[in-house]
Amino acid sequence: MDFTRRTFLAGAGATAGLLAAPGAFAGPDVPGWQVGWTNAPASGYAPAPMRLISGALPDEFEGSLYRNGPAWFRYGDDYTGHWFDGDGMVQRIAFGNGKAVHSGQFVQTHKHKAEQEAQKFLATGFGTAGDPSYSIMAVDDVNAANTAILSANGDLFALWEAGSAMQIDPATLETIGPKTWSDDLKGMPFLAHPKVEPNGRIWNIASSGQILGIYDIAPGGKVDRFEIVDIGKTAYLHDWAMSERHLILLVQPWIQTRSLPPFVNSLEWRPEEGLQILIIDKDDLSSRRWVEAPAFSFYHTGTACEDADGTLHIDAVLYDEPILGEGGATGLMAGHFNPAVDQHEGYLSRISVSPDGKTRIDRTSVDGEFPAVHPGYMGQNCRLTAVVGGHAPGRPIATTVTVFDWHTGTADNFNFGPDRMVEEHVMVPKPGRTGEDDAWLVGTVLNIRTQSSEVHIFDAKHISSGPLASFSADYSWPLGFHGAFVSS
């Protein structure tokens, strides 16, 4: 497997080596929402109680909401070239005894430590690169660890697109270091969206150009299998899907066709190639089949499931073309918002693949992002999907949280209004109950008017009734991407 590892790391390193100059923006007149893209304190956030502003925390609601996202965007007058490239910070909101306590720490990656010492951008990224003299010896030299969170076997990991999972202390948020799943996979990329079966088995992807690796990790943490897949093209892959019996890769026609800095400029949208879907049998990873669908772009999936006749259903938020790509999300850090570039509507959709390979795409009327499902129903015949969507005029990021019922076609939602920007909300099972809607929905919100960050807890059965409990910090922290709830 050493040859495989070298091949992966060489491919990933070539991608990481695309360099460009960071963008620079100026001007003191920035809107209030720009606080979501302001540097967090370099020392992080010490544990601080949040104020209860409405309702009461349910007695059974105990545990921690962990979130990850970019939190360093500026050195002097230079801004990172893309939102995706800010250094990762793990936030923790600990709940118990009716209270909520917030803390946050930067993930101490090689990249973060080197740039803090130099006080300038050095490493390459999705849409950014700093200094051509910066030495890149391995993919983890550019690892921003800024995208998602994985909790497994009592351990906590900060995840990124193309580097190692970074292990974090769940209590202190101190960085432990890169995770090595097995000796022969040291430094192997670990995609930001692993899929966890209800029994704890973890599946994930290692991405390196057109060559992908499949992780099959047993509930105890041992790598049972690592299988190589050649998808024939270097397509942008941020997420994928899993059903009870299959792994599903949606190969969108956003393809790397050249090596131009930064990386996003190497991608070309080729809708004439359509959406290629690779379906892999979990029991036999060499058993694979391809099907074709009309061209769509996507970032995130919900889950996938199978009917008795073998029809496969994949839930995802689909766009007519890529968003936040070349030119997208570059000015938000400095308070520049261009809806034509930075904001496009994606719709919660279901892709159905019949046993004979025919595909059908049903797009709901629910616009949104960050689809989330009950963790006990991942890969199962899932009925409910939560998303955040809706936008206030002239402002980025969502205003509404929605739970969509695939069986009835109805949407239950709550609109926070134009003064709040709503981040991903996740499903939290209620103790001792197994129903899909026997859950809470919890997530964070940035209050533009008060310049403070909030957390809200809903009953998944009654979203439109509003939060059961809402807490506010006395300050704000940067907007992030993905999180996970770990029950006490």
Side-chain angles (χ1 to χ4, degrees):
M1 190 173 291
D2 184 56
F3 173 78
T4 298
R5 179 172 173 269
R6 291 200 310 270
T7 302
F8 262 80
L9 300 185
T15 298
L18 298 177
L19 296 176
F25 301 95
D29 298 324
V30 294
W33 55 256
Q34 192 270 341
V35 69
W37 289 274
T38 299
N39 286 351
S43 59
Y45 300 96
M50 301 181 72
R51 292 179 292 105
L52 181 67
I53 54 177
S54 69
L57 192 68
D59 291 339
E60 297 176 301
F61 194 87
E62 293 188 350
S64 294
L65 174 66
Y66 294 96
R67 285 188 49 77
N68 192 2
W72 195 273
F73 310 99
R74 177 176 180 173
Y75 289 103
D77 292 330
D78 286 339
Y79 288 81
T80 181
H82 202 286
W83 184 15
F84 293 176
D85 296 335
D87 287 338
M89 170 176 270
V90 174
Q91 316 274 351
R92 179 192 185 196
I93 303 173
F95 298 93
N97 299 318
K99 300 177 181 179
V101 176
H102 171 258
S103 57
Q105 291 293 327
F106 278 101
V107 185
Q108 296 299 311
T109 62
H110 178 84
K111 169 189 183 299
H112 178 72
K113 290 186 287 188
E115 292 181 345
Q116 286 288 304
E117 182 177 353
Q119 284 296 290
K120 65 177 182 179
F121 295 109
L122 298 172
T124 63
F126 181 78
T128 309
D131 190 333
S133 68
Y134 178 66
S135 177
I136 302 173
M137 303 300 293
V139 291
D140 280 335
D141 291 339
V142 297
N143 190 344
N146 68 0
T147 309
I149 291 290
L150 172 65
S151 174
N153 301 308
D155 295 328
L156 192 73
F157 304 96
L159 308 180
W160 183 58
E161 295 269 87
S164 300
M166 295 292 291
Q167 189 168 353
I168 306 296
D169 186 292
T172 66
L173 304 184
E174 293 179 358
T175 301
I176 297 171
K179 169 67 175 179
T180 298
W181 297 97
S182 63
D183 290 342
D184 53 354
L185 296 178
K186 184 176 181 180
M188 191 70 71
F190 192 81
L191 204 67
H193 286 286
K195 307 302 176 188
V196 183
E197 293 184 357
N199 67 4
R201 180 170 293 274
I202 300 169
W203 299 86
N204 203 11
I205 304 296
S207 179
S208 177
Q210 70 181 52
I211 305 299
L212 306 180
I214 299 174
Y215 290 91
D216 175 9
I217 304 174
K222 175 182 176 293
V223 177
D224 280 347
R225 288 177 292 177
F226 185 84
E227 189 85 10
I228 298 299
V229 177
D230 186 343
I231 62 172
K233 62 184 74 173
T234 303
Y236 181 68
L237 181 69
H238 177 74
D239 198 358
W240 56 290
M242 179 189 75
S243 70
E244 188 172 16
R245 296 191 297 114
H246 292 96
L247 312 175
I248 305 104
L249 305 183
L250 305 178
V251 182
Q252 60 183 319
W254 199 19
I255 300 165
Q256 183 179 358
T257 59
R258 52 199 183 276
S259 294
L260 294 176
F263 175 67
V264 68
N265 289 354
S266 298
L267 297 173
E268 181 180 336
W269 177 241
R270 292 184 167 182
E272 68 276 7
E273 297 189 15
L275 178 67
Q276 308 291 318
I277 304 174
L278 177 59
I279 303 169
I280 303 173
D281 191 312
K282 282 182 174 179
D283 291 335
D284 178 4
L285 297 179
S286 66
S287 177
R288 308 162 190 170
R289 64 184 177 113
W290 286 92
V291 298
E292 298 182 358
F296 285 99
S297 183
F298 81 106
Y299 278 104
H300 300 114
T301 68
T303 188
C305 63
E306 290 153 294
D307 293 339
D309 67 357
T311 299
L312 187 65
H313 304 285
I314 307 112
D315 301 337
V317 173
L318 299 182
Y319 298 84
D320 291 328
E321 59 185 22
I323 65 163
L324 299 179
E326 183 176 356
T330 56
L332 295 176
M333 287 74 69
H336 303 164
F337 172 56
N338 180 357
V341 173
D342 296 324
Q343 186 181 86
H344 298 276
E345 288 185 341
Y347 291 91
L348 183 62
S349 306
R350 173 160 283 184
I351 305 168
S352 298
V353 181
S354 62
D356 62 4
K358 293 181 180 179
T359 60
R360 186 184 75 248
I361 297 180
D362 297 309
R363 300 179 76 176
T364 73
S365 59
V366 176
D367 72 288
E369 252 300 350
F370 302 126
V373 301
H374 188 300
Y377 286 77
M378 176 59 69
Q380 309 297 312
N381 192 351
C382 196
R383 178 170 61 91
L384 304 177
T385 302
V387 296
V388 296
H391 296 85
R395 291 179 178 173
I397 310 300
T399 59
T400 301
V401 59
T402 299
V403 171
F404 182 76
D405 189 320
W406 290 100
H407 289 185
T408 65
T410 58
D412 186 17
N413 57 62
F414 181 83
N415 189 334
F416 283 93
D419 288 334
R420 286 180 170 88
M421 296 195 292
V422 183
E423 300 186 272
E424 176 197 64
H425 280 52
V426 298
M427 291 273 197
V428 179
K430 294 179 179 179
R433 280 166 270 188
T434 59
E436 189 176 351
D437 57 1
D438 288 325
W440 296 289
L441 195 67
V442 57
T444 46
V445 169
L446 177 58
N447 189 320
I448 302 170
R449 181 176 52 81
T450 63
Q451 297 283 280
S452 59
S453 293
E454 302 171 346
V455 61
H456 300 269
I457 300 97
F458 294 83
D459 188 320
K461 293 181 180 179
H462 307 291
I463 301 298
S464 59
S465 298
L468 298 172
S470 300
F471 295 84
S472 176
D474 293 327
Y475 49 89
S476 66
W477 55 79
L479 294 165
F481 293 139
H482 301 287
F485 192 88
V486 180
S487 297
S488 296

